[in-house]
Amino acid sequence: VWKSLDMKLKERNPHDGIAVPASRMSQNLRESHERMLEQGRKDSKTIAYYSIKFYYTYDFARTTKDVDGFLDQVIAEMNQGYINSKIPLRAYKLCHEKAKLNDVYNGNR
């Protein structure tokens, strides 16, 4: 799911953070979405950047000595994959947060 926020738009989705199907988008949002898609079709060189917020479990934190280093490595490998594939995208770590839950080892739960 891709979501773009135009901070200049006066009309806001009351469910911010939830993707809205195209059929329910406002006219302004639909036009902005179409412009971005068209720009992407015409320009395959300009690198687009996107941020990722990572959530991790208590178990992960307990078993991972350097959470920041681990996440930086994940981002580095992902970006290298984009570079190798000639995909003009780059990810960066916005932040990370320990989720208030543990890993579930039983797939039936």
Side-chain angles (χ1 to χ4, degrees):
V1 173
W2 292 96
K3 182 171 182 178
S4 174
L5 294 177
D6 183 345
M7 301 312 284
K8 295 175 195 157
L9 284 178
K10 292 186 172 79
E11 182 177 340
R12 297 269 184 237
N13 177 357
H15 306 290
D16 194 26
I18 300 172
V20 178
S23 61
R24 293 188 50 213
M25 286 183 190
S26 70
Q27 185 65 28
N28 276 349
L29 188 56
R30 201 170 18 256
E31 289 170 3
S32 173
H33 184 247
E34 285 303 318
R35 281 193 304 273
M36 286 188 287
L37 287 173
E38 188 58 30
Q39 179 183 351
R41 287 183 196 103
K42 290 179 179 178
D43 180 3
S44 63
K45 301 291 183 209
T46 302
I47 297 173
Y49 296 87
Y50 67 95
S51 62
I52 300 173
K53 180 174 183 177
F54 289 93
Y55 291 91
Y56 58 94
T57 64
Y58 288 116
D59 294 334
F60 179 82
R62 187 174 39 78
T63 60
T64 306
K65 289 182 183 182
D66 181 7
V67 172
D68 276 320
F70 181 92
L71 298 176
D72 289 343
Q73 184 64 32
V74 167
I75 293 288
E77 290 180 21
M78 183 177 353
N79 285 334
Q80 190 60 54
Y82 287 144
I83 291 166
N84 294 349
S85 301
K86 297 181 178 23
I87 298 172
L89 284 176
R90 299 298 179 272
Y92 65 93
K93 180 176 64 176
L94 178 64
C95 60
H96 63 275
E97 180 180 328
K98 190 184 308 180
K100 296 177 181 169
L101 51 96
N102 290 311
D103 290 330
V104 176
Y105 298 103
N106 181 347
N108 295 327
R109 293 186 359 188

